Amino acid sequence: MIGNPARKDISTSYVERMNLNMRMGMRRFTRLTNAFSKKVENHVNALAIYFMYYNFGRIHQTLRVTPAMEAGLTDHVWSLEEIAGLAEKTQETVES
């Protein structure tokens, strides 16, 4: 546990909903499909892409903005090109 959450706000419903979103959004969490991750590195990368898009590129119905916009981290919805550009910048940094 991180922080000091209010007892009234603690619920397993939030965790279970996020688990459902991840299973439905990424077939890597379903063991009997072709997309199941066999290498940990591939699994970690798929998670990073999923959560980047989930937080920066997808408008959530209840918020009507992205979670990153609601938190004040960005002022616009990120396009897939912007998200992919982050990977390219990281690769350039690693190579130099």
Side-chain angles (χ1 to χ4, degrees):
M1 179 173 40
I2 297 173
N4 189 15
R7 285 265 189 218
K8 65 179 180 62
D9 294 334
I10 298 172
S11 173
T12 58
S13 298
Y14 299 118
V15 175
E16 292 300 329
R17 182 62 196 188
M18 192 67 215
N19 287 343
L20 176 63
N21 287 343
M22 286 174 37
R23 281 196 318 273
M24 298 305 287
M26 286 186 297
R27 299 311 301 168
R28 292 178 179 276
F29 282 94
T30 306
R31 193 172 64 89
L32 298 176
T33 65
N34 291 340
F36 180 69
S37 292
K38 293 180 181 136
K39 294 181 181 177
V40 173
E41 296 83 19
N42 293 343
H43 195 68
V44 169
N45 291 335
L47 278 172
I49 292 168
Y50 174 80
F51 281 112
M52 184 66 192
Y53 177 74
Y54 184 87
N55 288 313
F56 286 83
R58 179 179 175 269
I59 295 175
H60 292 236
Q61 186 175 4
T62 55
L63 297 174
R64 296 196 176 113
V65 293
T66 67
M69 290 170 69
E70 184 70 18
L73 299 174
T74 187
D75 61 353
H76 67 284
V77 178
W78 287 39
S79 68
L80 292 176
E81 289 80 15
E82 286 179 290
I83 294 171
L86 291 175
E88 291 169 3
K89 288 178 187 175
T90 303
Q91 186 63 31
E92 289 171 3
T93 304
V94 169
E95 290 174 355
S96 51

